[in-house]
Amino acid sequence: MKSTLRTKLDSLAVRLDELNRLLAAEDATRDLDQFRKLSREHSELTGLVQLYDRYRQAERDAREAKDLAADAAMKGYAEEELKNARAAMDKLAAQLQKQLLPKDPNDERNLFLEVRAGTGGDESALFAGALFRMYARYAERQGWQMEIISESASELGGYKEVIARITGQGAYSRLKFESGAHRVQRVPETEAQGRIHTSACTVAVLPEADALDEVVLNPAELRVDTFRASGAGGQHVNKTDSAIRVTHLPTGIVVECQDSRSQHKNREKALSVLAARIKDKQMREQQASTASTRKLLVGSGDRSERIRTYNFPQGRVTDHRINLTLYKIERIMQGELDELIDGLAAEHQAELLAQLAEA
């Protein structure tokens, strides 16, 4: 084990002892918020330190076996014990490395999914609709809830833009690598001569922000406009200016919401999407300013980066970041995304492990 990792683990073991004393103090529950914070930290460290204790025990077993090997009568037994101890050390060291990887604080958050048609006109809008249904079916498979916040339908079907909120355990951790440009190659329904067209859509996956704690929305920096909703909604849309457009003046970010008949609810939803977009912008700027020479293969979230191609004539889906091609496009479009997502998560973890090893 590298000395830097051992030093880190030693400091965490000391911290766990300190937490044990703090939580056992008579006045530990005087400040309940602080007590809960310390309890969470204690829970996170306990398993890691226990794993480190097992590693150190395996180290002691290895030393004892080496000493025992000096006795000719015990040499065979000692060599077998040493082999077992070293195997245990390797296994435990790998587990410790994984547990020491930096955790994404957003992984357990809900998210906003935004799908927008790009180049390709009507065909792009149709593909945007297909992508959105793909994610909706995946969310359903996971037992998550999806609520459409805003939608702009195209004339031939599909979406020019659609924004939805997805809530459920681990939602962001599973979908966070979907941000980027998605390209489709297929024969459009409107194509009379059977020629294959290429078009693209962009997907953005934004962790939901706690507007009160993480993103301060200064009313003086917001321009809120109301307008009459368009599209479905019956006669109501002709009578009430319930749709909301919020512009964040410092960044120029604009959010519209007309899903609800209540102006108040539309405003609330628009502000939550705005907070998520501002948080996302801040995160990407921070990542860009602190990026190392090694670029993570997945998770950059660059909206202009082509991340995946869906080739319908060949029945394949290719994720360009990890060079993974699956010949099961129909099943993937029905929401069977786990194989793709698991591959991306594994590659991301491998990159983080490589960075940890270089530290």
Side-chain angles (χ1 to χ4, degrees):
M1 180 183 289
K2 291 182 66 174
S3 60
T4 51
L5 292 181
R6 187 182 293 275
T7 300
K8 175 70 172 175
L9 288 163
D10 285 337
S11 68
L12 293 175
V14 171
R15 175 59 177 166
L16 184 61
D17 287 338
E18 182 183 3
L19 289 169
N20 284 328
R21 290 194 299 273
L22 290 171
L23 292 170
E26 288 185 7
D27 60 348
T29 57
R30 182 175 297 173
D31 184 340
L32 286 177
D33 286 340
Q34 179 69 0
F35 180 77
R36 281 190 285 266
K37 181 180 177 183
L38 294 176
S39 296
R40 280 197 300 271
E41 186 182 358
H42 184 274
S43 177
E44 291 169 359
L45 288 183
T46 299
L48 180 63
V49 173
Q50 287 175 348
L51 203 60
Y52 185 40
D53 286 342
R54 288 168 57 195
Y55 177 85
R56 288 188 290 191
Q57 181 59 54
E59 271 188 324
R60 290 191 291 271
D61 293 343
R63 286 195 297 269
E64 291 172 4
K66 286 179 71 174
D67 293 341
L68 198 60
D71 184 342
M74 300 295 292
K75 188 174 181 181
Y77 170 78
E79 286 179 347
E80 184 65 23
E81 288 295 297
L82 181 59
K83 179 183 175 182
N84 291 339
R86 284 176 173 168
M89 286 170 61
D90 288 343
K91 182 178 179 180
L92 289 164
Q95 291 176 337
L96 283 166
Q97 273 196 322
K98 286 185 179 180
Q99 289 211 23
L100 281 173
L101 292 178
K103 292 180 175 59
D104 187 336
N106 296 312
D107 273 352
E108 295 306 313
R109 288 185 181 273
N110 301 322
L111 62 92
F112 290 103
L113 170 71
E114 303 182 354
V115 182
R116 291 183 178 84
T119 56
D122 290 330
E123 167 62 8
S124 177
L126 288 170
F127 181 55
L131 274 182
F132 184 73
R133 286 191 295 275
M134 178 184 78
Y135 290 122
R137 286 165 181 153
Y138 182 70
E140 185 178 356
R141 289 172 182 271
Q142 303 302 308
W144 301 335
Q145 299 297 313
M146 176 182 275
E147 172 193 11
I148 293 180
I149 300 296
S150 176
E151 59 184 319
S152 175
S154 69
E155 292 179 1
L156 296 181
Y159 294 106
K160 296 176 184 176
E161 175 187 274
V162 58
I163 303 172
R165 179 173 181 257
I166 298 178
T167 59
Q169 185 174 5
Y172 183 74
S173 70
R174 296 297 288 169
L175 290 178
K176 63 182 177 181
F177 300 127
E178 293 300 300
S179 291
H182 295 241
R183 185 177 67 170
V184 62
Q185 295 171 324
R186 65 182 180 184
V187 178
E189 296 174 11
T190 55
E191 170 58 57
Q193 299 180 26
R195 292 175 299 186
I196 296 173
H197 286 228
T198 298
S199 58
C201 298
T202 58
V203 172
V205 177
L206 316 177
E208 186 175 40
D210 184 337
L212 293 176
D213 294 337
E214 296 180 329
V215 179
V216 178
L217 296 176
N218 184 349
E221 297 177 342
L222 302 178
R223 186 175 73 236
V224 180
D225 300 308
T226 60
F227 59 98
R228 194 155 294 177
S230 60
Q235 296 179 352
H236 171 82
V237 298
N238 298 318
K239 298 177 182 178
T240 310
D241 290 343
S242 61
I244 290 288
R245 181 185 298 112
V246 181
T247 304
H248 186 242
L249 300 175
T251 61
I253 296 173
V254 180
V255 178
E256 291 183 1
C257 186
Q258 54 178 305
D259 183 60
S260 172
R261 293 187 176 188
S262 163
Q263 188 180 109
H264 175 74
K265 287 183 179 179
N266 280 333
R267 178 187 172 95
E268 187 179 315
K269 290 177 181 180
L271 289 175
S272 64
V273 174
L274 177 63
R277 286 191 187 170
I278 293 172
K279 175 183 170 70
D280 178 68
K281 185 175 186 294
Q282 292 170 346
M283 283 170 50
R284 285 188 285 120
E285 287 174 349
Q286 184 180 23
Q287 288 166 357
S289 65
T290 59
S292 62
T293 52
R294 175 189 291 272
K295 180 188 175 186
L296 291 179
L297 295 180
V298 292
S300 65
D302 187 344
R303 308 290 183 261
S304 63
E305 176 190 7
R306 189 189 73 190
I307 64 169
R308 195 175 294 152
T309 295
Y310 303 74
N311 186 304
F312 279 82
Q314 297 179 17
R316 64 175 170 84
V317 174
T318 299
D319 196 291
H320 305 289
R321 295 163 295 178
I322 54 177
N323 294 320
L324 174 64
T325 296
L326 301 174
Y327 287 87
K328 49 178 72 173
I329 193 166
E330 294 301 331
R331 289 166 60 183
I332 287 170
M333 297 309 294
Q334 290 298 318
E336 294 187 24
L337 297 176
D338 279 331
E339 193 168 352
L340 281 168
I341 290 172
D342 288 343
L344 290 161
E347 187 68 38
H348 183 57
Q349 185 179 77
E351 280 285 309
L352 290 175
L353 283 169
Q355 286 189 323
L356 187 63
E358 292 174 1

